[in-house]
Amino acid sequence: MEYIKRNLDILLNKIEGTGCQLVAVTKTHPIEVLDYTYKLGFKRFGENKVQEMCDKQVQLPADVDWHLIGHLQSNKVKYAAPFTSLIHGVDSFSLLQKINKQALKNNRTINCLLQLHIAQEETKFGLDESELKTILDNPAFYELKNIKIKGLMGMASNTDNQNQVRAEFRGLKTLWDSIKQNYQNERVDIQTLSMGMSGDYQIAIEEGSTLIRVGSAIFGNRG
């Protein structure tokens, strides 16, 4: 598995000094891969599915920084709530309510990112700008004392058109700047802009991403 160390070193060197951090996307990879990566000193892992994340969490040290990066179903929130560091893909007020309820049960405040739909594919999840502001303008949102909005997340279109990808990221960064300027408060502490994956993270960094989600560029393709 030395290739993992080599790929990880290359990626960390690329982002050094950019102000951007890395989530190593470990979905579908066996626990041995995560354990090896942890022993290299890297502890920030991203999983798409709650059950897989829970299965891995009990097999690794308690100081792993777990990010749930996939679409979260409301009936799975209770399994992720005890330990998840950051939930990336929150796309509804009702899901925020469910997360808040389970965070309270676990005596935690759970950090969340609101997911914006920036791609042309309709299959991707996410809010539009109007829906985002409706949540942040809702007085009921500020009654949710056990969650904190830490920023925004988005996925660009799956296309070879780099100009399109760049425009989508740039639009999300502009919105992130606006939210950071106009909504910063006790419940909304905008610090994170999660955008960029293995195929487009370099463009994302150039457009202001603070957190990239990279799997295959580190671990190779699974299967």
Side-chain angles (χ1 to χ4, degrees):
M1 287 191 283
E2 288 184 5
Y3 67 94
I4 294 175
K5 182 180 187 306
R6 182 175 64 252
N7 291 342
L8 186 60
D9 286 345
I10 290 171
L11 194 51
L12 290 174
N13 284 334
K14 282 185 178 180
I15 67 175
E16 185 175 2
T18 64
C20 186
Q21 293 184 311
L22 168 69
V23 176
V25 178
T26 48
K27 63 175 184 176
T28 74
H29 290 284
I31 194 67
E32 292 80 12
V33 167
L34 284 76
D35 184 60
Y36 175 83
T37 307
Y38 178 90
K39 288 174 179 174
L40 292 175
F42 192 86
K43 305 176 182 181
R44 190 181 302 113
F45 297 144
E47 290 285 335
N48 268 40
K49 296 182 178 179
V50 172
Q51 186 59 58
E52 183 177 351
M53 183 175 70
C54 290
D55 291 345
K56 291 173 176 177
Q57 188 264 342
V58 297
Q59 299 180 68
L60 289 172
D63 64 341
V64 169
D65 188 13
W66 292 101
H67 288 227
L68 185 61
I69 62 174
H71 182 66
L72 176 58
Q73 295 174 302
S74 59
N75 64 337
K76 301 290 179 65
V77 173
K78 61 184 177 181
Y79 303 111
F83 64 89
T84 308
S85 298
L86 183 65
I87 298 176
H88 285 232
V90 180
D91 60 356
S92 70
F93 181 66
S94 62
L95 183 55
L96 284 174
Q97 291 176 305
K98 292 284 178 59
I99 296 170
N100 183 76
K101 179 179 178 180
Q102 294 300 325
L104 179 60
K105 286 184 178 180
N106 286 275
N107 195 29
R108 299 185 66 208
T109 298
I110 296 180
N111 292 326
C112 301
L113 303 180
L114 294 173
Q115 182 173 356
L116 275 293
H117 187 284
I118 62 172
Q120 290 192 357
E121 296 104 322
E122 293 184 3
T123 53
K124 287 188 169 68
F125 295 98
L127 305 159
D128 62 28
E129 182 176 347
S130 174
E131 291 168 331
L132 168 67
K133 291 180 177 178
T134 296
I135 289 175
L136 297 180
D137 288 331
N138 185 351
F141 165 73
Y142 295 93
E143 298 302 315
L144 306 180
K145 305 297 186 182
N146 287 79
I147 59 166
K148 185 168 284 189
I149 303 301
K150 299 297 288 187
L152 305 180
M153 176 267 214
M155 298 173 62
S157 297
N158 183 16
T159 175
D160 292 330
N161 185 341
Q162 293 192 353
N163 290 332
Q164 179 181 334
V165 171
R166 186 177 296 279
E168 290 168 356
F169 284 153
R170 186 168 294 174
L172 183 55
K173 173 59 161 58
T174 298
L175 178 58
W176 182 80
D177 287 336
S178 173
I179 297 299
K180 187 172 185 177
Q181 180 176 349
N182 295 304
Y183 285 93
Q184 201 84 334
N185 56 60
E186 185 181 357
R187 302 259 60 80
V188 183
D189 179 27
I190 302 297
Q191 302 291 334
T192 300
L193 179 57
S194 172
M195 62 184 192
M197 300 186 294
S198 287
D200 56 22
Y201 72 85
Q202 295 186 75
I203 298 174
I205 292 171
E206 291 169 6
E207 294 302 327
S209 176
T210 71
L211 191 64
I212 55 173
R213 314 177 301 273
V214 178
S216 59
I218 301 170
F219 304 111
N221 293 315
R222 179 77 174 136

